[in-house]
Amino acid sequence: MPELPEVETVRRGLEPVMSGVRVARVEQRRPDLRFPFPDGFAARIEGRRIERLGRRAKYLVADVEGGEALIMHLGMSGRFTIEAASGAIAGTPARPGEFAHDTGGLPQHDHVVFHLESGARVTYNDPRRFGFMDLVAGTGLETCRHFARMGIEPLSNALHEDYLAARANARSTDLKAFLLDQRHIAGLGNIYVCEALYRARLSPQRLAGCLADGRGRPTQRAVRLVPAIRAVLTDAIAAGGSTLRDYRSADGALGYFQHAFQVYGREGEPCLTPGCRGMVRRITQAGRSTFYCSHCQR
DNA sequence: CCGACTACCTGCCCGC
DNA sequence: TGCGGGCAGGTAGTCG
């Protein structure tokens, strides 16, 4: 699930528990996730304070006392669960009822547990193990392997029609692939690309080059796309944030609120644009599902 | 460099 | 009820 809004929601949920808190012990239960953990992973965190919990695109970045940054990516199925110091569950379990039904063995796919000095525990669960964790020098964050070629933050001022036009100018890929490419804009995924293109009334099959006029200047399509991307992410973060107010009422783990999507997952259903008589279609692009209304998205 | 494709891994849902 | 196939929110590596 985790695209930028979900990762931001997770960050906001973890921040009050982890930020400024010392890590007493790190329980690393397997040698790798998608990639091997770095050498001495647990030891490089244990006994140190988490100074700040930030985010870059879909990555969580925890500044660890001493100068290293703990980088965490949730892949497709990564989740965090918080157990508060009192023992009460402050974040919902990865699977509802998991602890109640636990017969004594370790819950499956709980790969890393951060035991905090406050007594709270933060558990990383990831069935598919497409997520990963790494430790990098905090001073070289932007030049590290993960971030060096990464594009702009879509919620920053860097997202501008001039930027889109310059990047998309003369590209032969379609808009869907262009927006999914983290080297241009970092943080959009399959769902929010579909949703942003719907809001901008642009066909996902149109070439990315349509955002520029041939000389790298923005077209009206680029002008429409910028606020559509911003709004879809902002709305999703707001919706995710609302689930954080009462952890126990949500039936998903931290940040896994099922947003009310307007096209994603709505194949065969009527287009929600007022006055549009179209129907949402599903096509495959770059091996992944795209949902859109061919009637109002041009 | 670009663009297209594949691999990685488990779980779930559907049809037979 | 079991089994095979397809699908799932991501990225990195390879190949032409």
Side-chain angles (χ1 to χ4, degrees):
Chain A
M1 152 96 66
E3 300 182 33
L4 185 152
E6 289 74 30
V7 176
E8 177 59 22
T9 301
V10 170
R11 190 196 68 76
R12 292 180 188 186
L14 292 179
E15 187 171 40
V17 181
M18 298 187 81
S19 190
V21 178
R22 197 172 298 280
V23 179
R25 190 162 66 89
V26 177
E27 211 179 319
Q28 179 197 324
R29 294 183 178 162
R30 49 175 302 131
D32 55 24
L33 292 171
R34 175 160 187 195
F35 306 114
F37 283 90
D39 289 343
F41 177 72
R44 285 156 71 179
I45 301 169
E46 285 173 350
R48 299 175 191 268
R49 230 166 43 94
I50 303 296
E51 292 168 336
R52 201 179 80 93
L53 186 64
R55 177 188 60 73
R56 172 78 168 98
K58 303 174 191 174
Y59 293 75
L60 290 168
V61 181
D63 292 341
V64 180
E65 181 183 20
E68 289 201 297
L70 166 61
I71 291 179
M72 297 175 279
H73 195 288
L74 305 180
M76 296 273 262
S77 57
R79 292 162 183 237
F80 281 100
T81 302
I82 300 167
E83 291 166 88
S86 63
I89 296 168
T92 48
R95 291 171 298 287
E98 171 179 281
F99 298 118
H101 297 141
D102 187 9
T103 51
L106 296 177
Q108 241 192 332
H109 309 309
D110 281 358
H111 304 308
V112 181
V113 183
F114 297 96
H115 299 263
L116 304 175
E117 212 169 65
S118 62
R121 285 192 295 179
V122 172
T123 300
Y124 179 70
N125 176 285
D126 187 355
R128 293 176 75 178
R129 303 202 304 276
F130 285 178
F132 55 88
M133 296 189 188
D134 199 2
L135 284 165
V136 304
T139 49
L141 250 197
E142 283 300 315
T143 55
C144 81
R145 191 155 47 104
H146 313 284
F147 297 165
R149 279 165 293 282
M150 184 173 285
I152 58 155
E153 281 291 317
L155 290 177
S156 74
N157 291 334
L159 180 67
H160 189 277
E161 52 263 27
D162 293 342
Y163 175 83
L164 287 186
R167 283 292 183 135
N169 194 41
R171 294 248 171 199
S172 63
T173 40
D174 52 42
L175 273 176
K176 173 80 185 297
F178 175 77
L179 293 177
L180 273 180
D181 191 334
Q182 305 295 299
R183 291 169 303 179
H184 305 309
I185 302 175
L188 294 175
N190 203 36
I191 292 178
Y192 294 110
V193 165
C194 292
E195 295 294 317
L197 288 171
Y198 166 75
R199 292 198 189 204
R201 303 192 321 280
L202 289 170
S203 167
Q205 292 177 293
R206 193 174 265 288
L207 296 187
C210 81
L211 300 177
D213 67 0
R215 277 177 272 192
R217 288 179 308 210
T219 60
Q220 277 309 302
R221 293 190 176 93
V223 173
R224 285 214 304 273
L225 188 52
V226 167
I229 291 170
R230 268 212 195 97
V232 84
L233 297 177
T234 305
D235 288 357
I237 290 171
S242 69
T243 68
L244 288 180
R245 280 186 222 121
D246 181 359
Y247 298 134
R248 269 159 288 197
S249 72
D251 63 355
L254 217 44
Y256 288 79
F257 178 74
Q258 273 297 316
H259 195 52
F261 304 126
Q262 298 184 86
V263 282
Y264 189 86
R266 295 191 59 246
E267 181 181 15
E269 294 178 41
C271 174
L272 294 177
T273 301
C276 179
R277 301 171 64 90
M279 157 181 291
V280 177
R281 299 176 50 189
R282 183 174 78 88
I283 60 173
T284 298
Q285 289 179 290
R288 317 188 62 189
S289 289
T290 298
F291 297 88
Y292 78 113
C293 171
S294 57
H295 191 73
C296 67
Q297 289 180 249
R298 299 290 175 164

